[in-house]
Structures are given as structure tokens and as C-alpha cells.
Amino acid sequence: MKKGLILSGIQPSGILTLGNYLGALRNWVDIQEEYECMYFIADLHAITVPQDPKELRENTKKALMQYLACGLDPSKNVIFVQSHVHEHAELAWVLDCNTYMGELSRMTQFKDKSQKQVNVRVGLFNYPVLMAADILLYQADFVPVGEDQRQHLEITRDIARRYNSTYGKQVFTIPEAFISETGAKIMSLKDPEKKMSKSDPNPLAFISLLDDRDTIIKKFKKATTDSMNEVRFSDEQLGVKNLINIYSSITGKTPLEVEREFEGIGYGKFKMAVGETVADALEPIQKKYYELEAPENEEYIKNILKQGAEIASGKARETLKEVYETTGFYSK
Ligand code: ATP
Ligand code: LTN
């Protein structure tokens, strides 16, 4: 018996990072046996900041290959590209008209991301509404994401509750965030106050899932720490805390066990150990990824997305139809 519907997505705004893996993808793989799962590539979200069309197209295909390489099984999960299902954008409009400027203005991701833009797009401001549409369209029960998305899940719940109560009908399922205890917030290797992000302009700040061993080790060697030279899981040592967090979410050891393991050992050796552990964890993923990259797999990749979009569209159509009726649109 399946327990409920799971839905999540990642933006194809670059090659996925260790943060995307530990905060999201890895958990998707763990739950694929138990739940009915739908995972998409959020290309509509990616264009909330400027994207080069050629890179966006390539990164979308690469994102799918990274999903598969990380262990998502296309026979157990519905995998699709967001723009292949036009209902996402359509529901987003209806929800836009049921969302307040004030509540969107409070989103911390908007505050952070808009600071980095010269001309801030309306879509960046609207982003959480599109995310709400993604989730509500499939009547998802649980949404496995990293900690940074908690606020967007809260606004999704608010929008859904408001719509249901405005129209006096349970049109939308109220979804719940599904955030794992470990790895939910991996920080930048260069600025441990910021989260690790694939669109960070400094490549030393993140570990890409496709970085080779030498690059991974080099990045960890250059990771920001402090002058205390003590491996401690403390808010006074955010850089070291982040490295402990990465190491423990891969090895399954608790932060206390990691502290003990590296007691009296300098940062050099500690960083090396974290780098090796991460490289070991990514090695099988990269092997699978490069196999999938072979030209003869092109058809296989296309088929996964085609089938995924068909199944997703069927579900999306049902919800949108109900929303249009409930909203009062005159039917054909
Ligand atoms: P961008 O840099 O384009 O904003 P991103 O790397 O921050 O992208 P998203 O595509 O926005 O990643 O996020 C996809 C999923 O990965 C979400 O569930 C998000 O919570 C999770 N995630 C992203 N970054 C991290 C991180 N540093 N630690 C843990 N989880 C993360
Ligand atoms: N906003 C998410 C990506 C995303 C998403 C979703 C995640 C878009 N739509 C729906 C879960 C459910 C992010 O990680 N930035």
C-alpha cells in the first residue's frame, strides 16, 4: 500500500551540488519504494533569473541524468520536465490572483536573490506561487526539500487553505514539508553563513556532483575554517561545523562521533578526510552519469521524459479542471 503522494523538483540552473544531493535527491531515492513519487526538473523556475538558452536546455537534460545517476528509478517514479506540463503555468496564474503582495514580500529567498540582480524580474517575486502551483496541481501530501524551502512550503499551505476556504470546497490537499534531519542545509565552502548553491559565481563555494576527485579535494582544502584548529560542532566555528555536517551526513556518524574521531588532529587532515569521503560517495554517481551520457542513450532519456509528462499531464488536467470550475470559468 502506497502511503501518499510525494512531489519535488530541482532547478536546472547549473550542475547539481552536494547540497542538492544531501538535502533533496538522496532522500528522494530513499523513499521511492514506499510512496507514489513525482519528481520534475523546474525549468520554469530557473528563468526567474537570466539563463543562457543553450545552457538551460543542456542543464535540463543533465539534471535528468543526475537524477538517474543518483538512483532515481524511472520505473518507480514519474519524472518529467515542468515546462512539458502547461498546467503549472496556468494554475500559477489562478493562484497569483489568490496571493497577497505582502506575504510574498516576506520571502527570504526573494530578499537574498533579488539583491544579486540588477533588474529584478517579476517572476522572481512570484516564484513561490509557481512552486505552490507545482505542488497543489498533483495534490501532493509530502514535499521532500532542503531547509531553505520551508518558508515556501508554508506559503503553499496558506495559499491552499485560503483557496479552499474562499470557495468552501476542499479543492487542494494541504501538503507537508518533508525535511531530513541531516544534510538539510549544507553551507557554502567559502562563506559558511550562506547556503551552498549551484548558481554561486565562485565555483570554490560548492561541490558539483560532477567534480572529479582532485577538484573535490582541492575545494575542501580551500574551504573556509578558522584559526581555532579544533574540530568542534559549534556555532562559533561555522566553517568547521559545515564540514562536520557534510561528513556525518555521508558516513551516518553523529557530530559528536566526528568530533571524537578528529580530536587533536589538525584541519589539514580533517579536510582531507572529508574530501575523500565526498569523492568516494560521488564516484559511483559519476560513473553512472557518464554511462548515461553516451549518445545511444538519447532515446532512452527522451522516452522517460515523454512518459513522465504524459502521466503528469493527466493528473494536472484533473486538478486544473476542478479549479477552473470552482473559480467560475464558463466551460466550453
Ligand atoms: P540556485 O542556486 O539556482 O538557487 P540551488 O542550488 O539553491 O539553486 P534549488 O534548485 O533551488 O537549488 O534546490 C533544489 C533542492 O535542493 C531543494 O529541495 C533545496 O531545498 C535543496 N537544496 C538546495 N541547496 C541546498 C543546500 N545547500 N543544502 C541542502 N539542501 C539544499
Ligand atoms: N523552489 C524549489 C524547486 C521547486 C520545488 C517545487 C521543490 C520548484 N517547485 C515544488 C518542491 C516542490 C527550490 O528548491 N528552489
Side-chain angles (χ1 to χ4, degrees):
M1 250 271 284
K2 294 266 184 184
K3 280 195 200 150
L5 194 122
I6 296 260
L7 174 116
S8 198
I10 298 182
Q11 305 179 71
S13 42
I15 301 297
L16 310 195
T17 67
L18 186 63
N20 298 135
Y21 177 65
L22 296 177
L25 251 175
R26 186 178 63 166
N27 306 318
W28 301 359
V29 174
D30 288 345
I31 51 185
Q32 63 185 341
E33 307 288 341
E34 259 181 281
Y35 293 88
E36 184 183 349
C37 300
M38 305 188 66
Y39 296 114
F40 65 98
I41 300 158
D43 55 350
L44 297 178
H45 280 267
I47 62 162
T48 51
V49 297
Q51 298 290 341
D52 173 76
K54 186 166 172 275
E55 272 177 34
L56 177 61
R57 198 168 292 119
E58 276 168 10
N59 282 334
T60 302
K61 182 182 167 202
K62 286 180 182 173
L64 170 70
M65 298 198 297
Q66 289 168 83
Y67 282 11
L68 302 178
C70 286
L72 267 199
D73 181 343
S75 68
K76 294 188 184 134
N77 303 278
V78 178
I79 306 176
F80 64 102
V81 175
Q82 189 183 24
S83 65
H84 293 178
V85 183
H86 56 77
E87 284 83 358
H88 287 250
E90 292 170 79
L91 180 60
W93 176 253
V94 176
L95 299 182
D96 269 338
C97 298
N98 285 277
T99 305
Y100 306 139
M101 298 285 285
E103 56 190 346
L104 285 180
S105 311
R106 287 195 290 273
M107 296 295 114
T108 52
Q109 186 179 68
F110 174 72
K111 289 183 200 162
D112 291 348
K113 285 199 171 183
S114 57
Q115 273 172 14
K116 294 178 204 145
Q117 303 297 319
V118 186
N119 283 315
V120 179
R121 271 75 168 162
V122 176
L124 187 63
F125 184 67
N126 258 3
Y127 175 119
V129 185
L130 179 59
M131 180 159 163
D134 301 335
I135 298 167
L136 302 179
L137 202 47
Y138 301 100
Q139 311 288 0
D141 298 292
F142 301 105
V143 184
V145 282
E147 187 59 47
D148 61 305
Q149 297 300 315
R150 192 185 285 280
Q151 201 183 24
H152 292 162
L153 252 298
E154 277 309 315
I155 197 174
T156 299
R157 290 162 60 87
D158 290 343
I159 294 170
R161 281 199 210 98
R162 182 178 313 129
Y163 186 93
N164 288 350
S165 85
T166 302
Y167 294 95
K169 207 171 156 199
Q170 284 304 110
V171 176
F172 296 125
T173 301
I174 311 298
E176 266 179 57
F178 201 59
I179 299 175
S180 82
E181 276 169 28
T182 61
K185 194 160 192 191
I186 303 299
M187 309 311 281
S188 152
L189 298 184
K190 279 290 150 203
D191 176 359
E193 304 219 9
K194 272 185 4 194
K195 85 168 181 113
M196 182 181 284
S197 166
K198 64 176 114 63
S199 55
D200 197 308
N202 182 0
L204 289 176
F206 59 85
I207 300 292
S208 143
L209 291 192
L210 302 180
D211 280 343
D212 60 32
R213 182 172 290 268
D214 288 349
T215 308
I216 294 172
I217 290 177
K218 184 185 83 190
K219 287 184 178 180
F220 277 107
K221 272 191 188 154
K222 293 192 173 177
T224 302
T225 44
D226 50 67
S227 53
M228 292 158 110
N229 215 24
E230 213 184 319
V231 179
R232 262 196 336 137
F233 195 69
S234 146
D235 286 338
E236 284 153 32
Q237 296 173 253
L238 287 178
V240 172
K241 185 179 181 191
N242 186 39
L243 298 183
I244 296 179
N245 191 21
I246 292 173
Y247 188 76
S248 63
S249 51
I250 293 180
T251 58
K253 293 174 186 168
T254 65
L256 194 69
E257 285 168 338
V258 182
E259 281 183 351
R260 287 210 193 106
E261 187 177 338
F262 293 97
E263 209 177 318
I265 295 175
Y267 286 167
K269 279 198 177 148
F270 172 56
K271 285 174 162 183
M272 194 67 193
V274 181
E276 292 283 4
T277 304
V278 170
D280 288 347
L282 298 187
E283 200 175 278
I285 295 175
Q286 297 180 355
K287 189 169 173 280
K288 225 167 145 192
Y289 177 88
Y290 291 115
E291 281 165 17
L292 284 164
E293 223 183 17
E296 62 267 25
N297 286 323
E298 187 78 30
E299 206 51 33
Y300 169 68
I301 304 271
K302 285 233 148 132
N303 271 332
I304 292 174
L305 296 181
K306 199 168 160 226
Q307 281 174 18
E310 263 166 36
I311 300 172
S313 295
K315 288 183 187 270
R317 211 175 301 128
E318 270 176 43
T319 304
L320 193 70
K321 185 166 179 278
E322 196 184 352
V323 170
Y324 276 15
E325 270 169 24
T326 307
T327 306
F329 294 159
Y330 187 64
S331 62
K332 286 192 270 203

